[in-house]
Amino acid sequence: MKFYRLVLLLAAAFALVLAACGDDDGDSGNPTATTTSGSTATATAAPVVATPVGPFFDCEATHASTEPDASYFPVTVTDGNGDEVTITEPPARIASLDAAHTEILYAIGAGGQVSAVDNFSNCPAAAGALSARVDAYNPSVEAITGLEPDLVITAFDTGDIVAAMRAAGLTVLYLPTPADIQGTYDDMKLVGNATGHPDEAAALVTSMISEVTAIEGRVG
């Protein structure tokens, strides 16, 4: 089973929750901690989470596709560069050029709209079975255009390829790696809005927040 950036970011969020709980208890990571009265007390180690939560995204599971909400279109979203991207109708041929976004698409029920992926998108199995592939490290505008996507989602702008794809007439959603877990949540909602799955994306975010909250409750 493979885990890409989406799952790694969730794991990072868990780590941040654990660190935050330690800070709330006054634990700076040193063997001793000073109380509010100025006396020195022995720091108490944070409890170990015995049962892991997850995995968040199961690569081996079948992720059902749902029909996009056509009434949601046309829709305009703002990408990672601050550019407004207008999508006039539910995209039926999505090219996902990043493994994390591929996972998001399948997780929100948009897997049936994915027609091409990058060469690292092997999760879930349905994505791995797609024959239409794009070289993630050396993407070709000509090759991508030849796939005839009506929406391209990418996390990378190698050689200003985003501008080149747009100049070639492609609709491109550029979403670089988010800086934190909130950015991941925002990206999920944005992808949901762009593909006609806003409710499913919102539910996915709620599920992830619940997992983080569960971890916080165990160590709080």
Side-chain angles (χ1 to χ4, degrees):
M1 186 178 297
K2 297 182 179 180
F3 297 92
Y4 295 102
R5 191 178 70 235
L6 177 61
V7 179
L8 293 176
L9 282 170
L10 184 59
F14 290 162
L16 288 173
V17 169
L18 291 170
C21 290
D23 290 341
D24 290 343
D25 292 337
D27 183 2
S28 63
N30 296 322
T32 60
T34 302
T35 65
T36 55
S37 63
S39 60
T40 300
T42 301
T44 302
V48 176
V49 180
T51 306
V53 174
F56 163 69
F57 189 82
D58 188 348
C59 293
E60 297 175 357
T62 299
H63 299 273
S65 297
T66 57
E67 287 296 320
D69 184 356
S71 68
Y72 201 71
F73 295 86
V75 63
T76 298
V77 297
T78 302
D79 74 1
N81 265 343
D83 296 326
E84 290 190 345
V85 180
T86 298
I87 304 167
T88 58
E89 59 185 7
R93 294 182 57 80
I94 300 172
S96 175
L97 308 188
D98 173 62
H101 293 134
T102 299
E103 290 186 10
I104 292 174
L105 288 164
Y106 279 89
I108 64 175
Q113 296 160 256
V114 178
S115 62
V117 293
D118 73 295
N119 52 346
F120 292 103
S121 289
N122 296 314
C123 171
L130 290 174
S131 60
R133 296 271 163 175
V134 175
D135 188 334
Y137 289 125
N138 297 291
S140 163
V141 174
E142 292 76 15
I144 297 169
T145 302
L147 296 172
E148 300 183 343
D150 49 17
L151 177 64
V152 178
I153 303 178
T154 183
F156 308 102
D157 192 15
T158 306
D160 294 324
I161 192 170
V162 171
M165 287 190 291
R166 288 173 177 166
L170 298 177
T171 300
V172 183
L173 193 57
Y174 173 53
L175 298 174
T177 304
D180 51 31
I181 193 65
Q182 183 58 52
T184 302
Y185 297 154
D186 293 342
D187 277 4
M188 287 179 178
K189 291 180 179 179
L190 194 152
V191 171
N193 292 343
T195 59
H197 298 271
D199 294 339
E200 294 94 328
L204 178 63
V205 169
T206 298
S207 175
M208 287 184 69
I209 292 174
S210 295
E211 290 194 50
V212 173
T213 301
I215 290 289
E216 185 175 11
R218 294 183 184 187
V219 299

